[in-house]
Amino acid sequence: MKFFIDTANLAQIKEANELGVLDGVTTNPSLMAKEGIHGDAKVLQHYIDICNIVKGGDVSAEVIATDLQGMIAEGEKLAALHPQIVVKIPMTKDGVKALKYFSSKGIKTNCTLVFSPGQALLAAKAGATYVSPFIGRLDDVTFDGVDLIAQIVHIYRIYNYQTQVLAASIRHSMHIIRCAEAGADVATCPLNAITDLLKHPLTDIGLAKFLADHAANK
Ligand code: E4P
């Protein structure tokens, strides 16, 4: 399973990248706003900065336009920024048409705001590179988000769709484990959900004992 980091914070992206397990980055307009990145020029430069940190990794950049022509114009501008850019398109009727357009041009896409298997089926048929089911937001309204991941993985395997299932809206490490068990291709996570995977008290106790025995053995 690939690990993406779900942030526009450059320090966090660098920290995850230095761990050596990072495969890409996802952003969205809310994450850009959280970092205070606004205005076309600054937003575009920020995407380039992110690409330069995660060398070779896919970096999702979301369109703001909601009409087909607007999404196409904006997506083409984003894709031309850097070869690592993946154009992030919302799951709407015009969004599906835009996915089809970009897939026919060989431009990578990430279909965002997916909450049902039917939406995921449409994204795959339109040739999306990634589909992003939002599992945390489903959990928030008492639907098991990981069940949706398993359902989409199952459907895609039956028909051998090449669209990769990118589990998004991950809130904690257990989500990552359950998405891995469900067969997600990618998990996009906050930094703490990734670093919390490191933790186990028996590791700490075991290491302390090894070091104590080594120190006593002089
Ligand atoms: C990433 O592609 C999504 O935009 C993101 O995971 C949404 O996460 P949230 O539900 O925590 O806002």
Side-chain angles (χ1 to χ4, degrees), residues 51-71:
C51 291
N52 288 335
I53 296 171
V54 192
K55 297 217 182 322
D58 280 350
V59 175
S60 288
E62 189 160 338
V63 298
I64 305 298
T66 54
D67 65 296
L68 178 60
Q69 288 316 317
M71 283 191 262

Side-chain angles (χ1 to χ4, degrees), residues 18-218:
E18 282 164 11
L19 195 57
V21 299
L22 193 65
D23 301 295
V25 180
T26 51
T27 63
N28 63 37
S30 305
L31 293 171
M32 295 297 268
K34 193 174 165 193
E35 299 308 317
I37 314 294
H38 49 81
D40 268 9
K42 281 194 179 151
V43 168
L44 298 181
Q45 183 56 49
H46 203 73
Y47 288 135
I48 294 172
D49 293 344
I50 293 173
C51 291
N52 288 335
I53 296 171
V54 192
K55 297 217 182 322
D58 280 350
V59 175
S60 288
E62 189 160 338
V63 298
I64 305 298
T66 54
D67 65 296
L68 178 60
Q69 288 316 317
M71 283 191 262
I72 288 175
E74 211 181 317
E76 283 181 335
K77 196 169 166 188
L78 290 169
L81 268 186
H82 196 285
Q84 288 166 236
I85 292 286
V86 174
V87 181
K88 203 172 178 193
I89 307 271
M91 169 40 73
T92 60
K93 191 189 273 185
D94 274 5
V96 170
K97 292 178 189 173
L99 291 170
K100 185 75 186 173
Y101 172 85
F102 286 118
S103 81
S104 75
K105 300 271 173 200
I107 292 173
K108 285 186 178 181
T109 52
N110 174 358
C111 180
T112 190
L113 290 165
V114 166
F115 294 93
S116 77
Q119 291 177 326
L121 197 48
L122 285 172
K125 287 189 65 67
T129 313
Y130 298 103
V131 66
S132 286
F134 277 30
I135 67 171
R137 294 193 196 186
L138 278 171
D139 286 359
D140 290 345
V141 293
T142 70
F143 285 89
D144 188 335
V146 179
D147 279 355
L148 175 62
I149 298 292
Q151 209 175 356
I152 296 170
V153 167
H154 177 67
I155 291 169
Y156 281 10
R157 286 198 183 143
I158 291 174
Y159 296 101
N160 198 25
Y161 287 127
Q162 298 306 300
T163 302
Q164 297 177 55
V165 180
L166 194 171
S169 187
I170 280 181
R171 301 279 160 80
H172 46 70
S173 299
M174 196 60 200
H175 269 154
I176 302 178
I177 302 304
R178 289 196 61 219
C179 285
E181 287 174 335
D185 299 288
V186 190
T188 189
C189 322
L191 180 61
N192 68 310
I194 298 174
T195 53
D196 282 353
L197 292 172
L198 289 163
K199 294 178 186 167
H200 200 290
L202 289 178
T203 304
D204 301 338
I205 292 166
L207 183 58
K209 177 85 167 79
F210 285 153
L211 294 179
D213 288 347
H214 175 74
N217 188 30
K218 279 185 180 163

